Amino acid sequence: MSRDFAEVPVDHADARRAAESVLDFPGADDVEVSVMGSQTGVTRYALSEIIQNTVRNEVRAYVRVVTGRQVATAVTTQLDAGHMNRAAASALEAARQSRPDEEWPGLPSPDVVGHAQGCWRYDDATAAATPKERAAQVVRLLSASEADNTSGVFETSAHSFSVLSSAGVDCADAHTRCVTTCLVDTGEATGWGEDSSHRLDRVDAEAAARRALDKARRGTGAIDAPTGRHQVVLEPAAVATMLEYLSYCGMGAKQFIDGESFLIGQTGKQLAAPGITLADDVWHAHSVGIGFDFEGVPKKRVAVIDQGTATGPVTDWRTSRKLKTEPTGHYSGSTEFGPYASHLVLDRGGDSLDELISGVDDGLLVTRFHYVNVLDRPSTLLTGMTRDGTFRITKGEVGGAVHNFRFAHSVLDALRSTSGVGRELAAFAPDYGSFGGTVAPALRVEDFNFASTTSH
Amino acid sequence: MRQLLTTALDAATDAGATYVDVRVLEAVSESLSTRGAIVEGLDRSESLGYGVRVLRNGAWGYAASPRLDLGEVSRIARMAVEVAEASSTSQTRPVELVDEPVHVATWVTPVERDPFAVSLEEKLGPLLEASEAMERVKGIRVGRGTMDLHRQRSWFLTSEGTDLDQTIVNVGAGIEATAVNDGDVQQRSYPGSFRGHFEAGGYDIVERMDLAGNAEQTAEETLALIRAPECPAGTTTLVLDGHQVMLQVHESVGHPTELDRVLGMEAAFAGTSFVGIPELGSLRYGSEHVTIQSDATSPGGLGTYGYDDEGVEAQRVDLVREGILVGFQSSRETAAAMGADRSNGTMRAEGWENFPLIRMPNINLLPGSGSLEDLISEVEEGVYMSTNKSWSIDDKRKNFQFGCEIGWEIKRGKLTRIVKNPRYTGITPVFWGSCDAVAGEDEWRMHGTPNCGKGQPGQTMRVGHGTAPARFRGVSVGVSQ
């Protein structure tokens, strides 16, 4: 059996060779080249058989060209000198037709922002996993699920990233990722399990299937429960989703500067319960990502909420100059979008899941949320549905299943009324793209609003 | 290109594939964004690569790469077969495909003015003029302009003999103003939210938008929202503009009638559907005013094409006819699974990297009669909501909550005061069942959303929706908490 991938997606030497063909492009004052490579195998199963199975190799070079204070970017999927030069010429032509950006801070120099290091969460065995190995994992998972309607994915991928610039940036990183998800549908109820790591051998697909099966079996006979405010225990998957939307609500400095962030006027104030420390931290042991941003600025751990107290947003080179702070290395690749916190870690607490549940007299246990969206950014008000396992908790014991709810609640209100933080951390890969990830424990929240219910 | 296609086809066939399709795709795009007097984004992109989809042992395999040398092309084709062999280890029933005639054709989006032949200076002009004008209005914090242009050419060859060459061109543009006051953030956009209005065609579409000419009103409505009261909660009559009806159709009719969802193939990620195959022809989905079609032939739609990404000819089919569920969006595989004779041609993939999925082409609510003014004039008390802002719906596409940028209270047939944060909630068949009027052809427009997400790995797709304003009775509004 051959390997899917013979090497790291794009070796840094190849990225450097591509970049060097345009770093001194005639007519440009500065040039920055970011090269991303990925090799992804996704085995997707439903109705208890593999339905889609893909292997894809991807390469993209982002060529950002500066002339005076005029800036533009061109992207190509081909790294040969001809295509790279065409991209640089296209970007230069665009920049020349643009208007000078009076806020342009120049490209960041490593002498000013520091020299970037890679995280190198890279595992050869994960990168080299074959279609046959992924299929074998799915076959074992399907056996463990004991159901004829099980669905999900088993994914292995490898990703490389290099940034080089005429300002002296020259850095590289690579990571791998293994993700499994499992939904068991018994016909009467569904249950969910998932696992992810940068190492294939740390992902237990069969255990995820057994958790999904257990949830689905316990979901049988679900009944309506009253809407309104409830004490809840949110399992890590539900917490991770809330935190990802909190990031969207304004952890970045661009939203902060534009007046749209929940952090405005809150610095130094108590935003959450004292047990809540929420950081963007790609260096955390459970995080999977790269050690610098899309401009090659070293990525720092930023505790946006530290023991309940708001500190400040994550920044990039441009916004840090405006705020007169140090850049934290969170450039998203888009000046329009601004810096972004994409590696959230909520610190663990001291309680087991059972201990969190034991503190609930009359409430609900939520496995995960579905199709969440923001209703109001400044107040961090979200709506979304529960799915795949929502249960009544009575006098500290998990009871029968209830029909799914629509919630309408502020993330900050949930974090303010948190009375317990789990001691087990779970890592979650993003639904889209290779970058980012969230690490979260379970939470017990004293007051959480459910607005309506559905019939399943 | 021909050599690449035939090399891949031959290599996969030689490796034992019983069906092969090869898709080469070359895409160019341009994305512009301005904020006040600043050009914040000026990005051009080119993407060239190919994907090979095969059946072997009755199971699917797919492999894709941007590397164009013929040795790599053969390796990727053989990899697709290896992937299919791995898939077959869990197979309980072989994939069957319904027949489709062989097509040898070229198809091109009609374009009046090529958007890539227009100078950047000309394209940036109206964006800067509008974003600067909005920021000059006292109280406006951010004025933004955006433009997105996309052209893709694909070459498609199958082991059955289908041989296609398609070029699709899409354009989109819009402006947005943001005002901030004491923890309240309000936004108003024109002519649509989330980067504006999108259609298939040329730059003339953007020219007709008159972005700069609408900047002042957009800014003024934003400021009015900051001053406005919250939309009152209650059960009332709701009139939606065409943009919000687009979102309503998309989420509560488009997705639930995708046959892969109905069959359970998307259960773990996007979810399933509240409708099933046995209910075809009998389920009351809405009132008699509701007829909704899947139409890949609609002029100007983001989902308009000659052939889908498995070589099936574009079609127009009814999904809901006078309120009754009568059709699904299908592929060759899912059509076979439900016993249909032919796919209705809705398989599309984002880029060359991805396996095609059932994706909405243009899901259109057919017009009724009268004007928006007529719809409002028949409302004693209610709310008119405009321009989508937020959306959420459950995993069976039944319980939804949607929000708009702006609302107006309706009193005795007239629009009165503006209300902010207008939202409404409902249960899909109940909501469509409460529809008592759809405005006529004069109010019917083709809208588009370029960012519909589905699948794993995640794919975003360009989807069209032809809609007119519509009226719904007895709807729960103002339901944030």
Side-chain angles (χ1 to χ4, degrees), chain B residues 131-149:
Chain B
S131 56
E132 285 185 277
M134 288 187 291
E135 287 201 357
R136 277 197 300 270
V137 175
K138 191 179 175 190
I140 295 298
R141 183 74 168 258
V142 178
R144 175 165 288 126
T146 56
M147 191 180 301
D148 297 280
L149 314 170

Side-chain angles (χ1 to χ4, degrees), chain A residues 203-331:
Chain A
V203 170
D204 190 339
E206 291 173 79
R210 286 192 293 271
R211 285 196 298 277
L213 177 64
D214 176 59
K215 292 256 186 194
R217 283 178 171 163
R218 288 193 286 123
T220 302
I223 59 170
D224 276 336
T227 57
R229 308 189 87 87
H230 288 278
Q231 194 180 16
V232 295
V233 172
L234 304 176
E235 292 197 9
V239 175
T241 300
M242 277 201 329
L243 298 178
E244 287 155 13
Y245 279 90
L246 182 63
S247 178
Y248 181 70
C249 286
M251 286 193 193
K254 178 107 189 307
Q255 294 155 302
F256 188 79
I257 291 166
D258 286 347
E260 300 174 35
S261 165
F262 69 89
L263 289 168
I264 292 165
Q266 300 298 322
T267 305
K269 294 182 181 171
Q270 196 77 19
L271 263 191
I276 297 295
T277 294
L278 176 62
D280 187 89
D281 185 8
V282 75
W283 301 98
H284 188 275
H286 291 320
S287 289
V288 180
I290 55 177
F292 46 85
D293 68 10
F294 288 75
E295 293 179 311
V297 176
K299 191 163 276 193
K300 297 174 181 169
R301 177 183 184 274
V302 180
V304 177
I305 299 175
D306 191 2
Q307 296 179 60
T309 301
T311 57
V314 299
T315 64
D316 56 12
W317 172 237
R318 184 183 181 108
T319 55
S320 71
R321 299 275 295 235
K322 270 195 145 181
L323 293 173
K324 297 183 171 37
T325 60
E326 295 292 313
T328 62
H330 288 82
Y331 179 56

Side-chain angles (χ1 to χ4, degrees), chain B residues 156-175:
Chain B
F156 182 77
L157 186 67
T158 78
S159 54
E160 296 171 338
T162 286
D163 188 347
L164 302 170
D165 178 350
Q166 287 198 97
T167 300
I168 291 170
V169 183
N170 296 162
V171 300
I175 59 175

Side-chain angles (χ1 to χ4, degrees), chain B residues 342-360:
Chain B
R342 192 187 183 196
S343 161
N344 52 40
T346 65
M347 287 283 272
R348 287 193 289 163
E350 181 196 2
W352 46 265
E353 305 96 323
N354 288 302
F355 191 96
L357 304 171
I358 293 175
R359 303 311 303 263
M360 292 175 234

Side-chain angles (χ1 to χ4, degrees), chain B residues 47-86:
Chain B
S47 177
L48 174 60
Y50 55 96
V52 183
R53 188 177 72 144
V54 305
L55 279 174
R56 163 83 170 154
N57 298 339
W60 287 117
Y62 188 82
S65 173
R67 293 174 183 151
L68 305 173
D69 64 280
L70 295 182
E72 172 72 355
V73 171
S74 294
R75 187 185 79 82
I76 289 296
R78 290 193 298 273
M79 174 60 71
V81 177
E82 185 181 323
V83 171
E85 285 173 348

Side-chain angles (χ1 to χ4, degrees), chain A residues 138-154:
Chain A
V138 170
V139 168
R140 286 196 291 275
L141 177 158
L142 290 173
S143 175
S145 77
E146 300 178 27
D148 60 6
N149 192 0
T150 301
S151 54
V153 295
F154 193 91

Side-chain angles (χ1 to χ4, degrees), chain A residues 97-100, chain B residues 33-40 120-136 143-147 175 211-212 215:
Chain A
Q97 293 184 62
S98 180
R99 180 184 284 192
Chain B
S33 62
T34 63
R35 182 247 159 104
I38 293 172
V39 178
E40 280 196 328
L120 276 170
E121 192 176 4
E122 182 177 342
K123 286 183 272 202
L124 282 168
L127 298 184
L128 283 164
E129 192 181 340
S131 56
E132 285 185 277
M134 288 187 291
E135 287 201 357
R136 277 197 300 270
R144 175 165 288 126
T146 56
M147 191 180 301
I175 59 175
L211 298 175

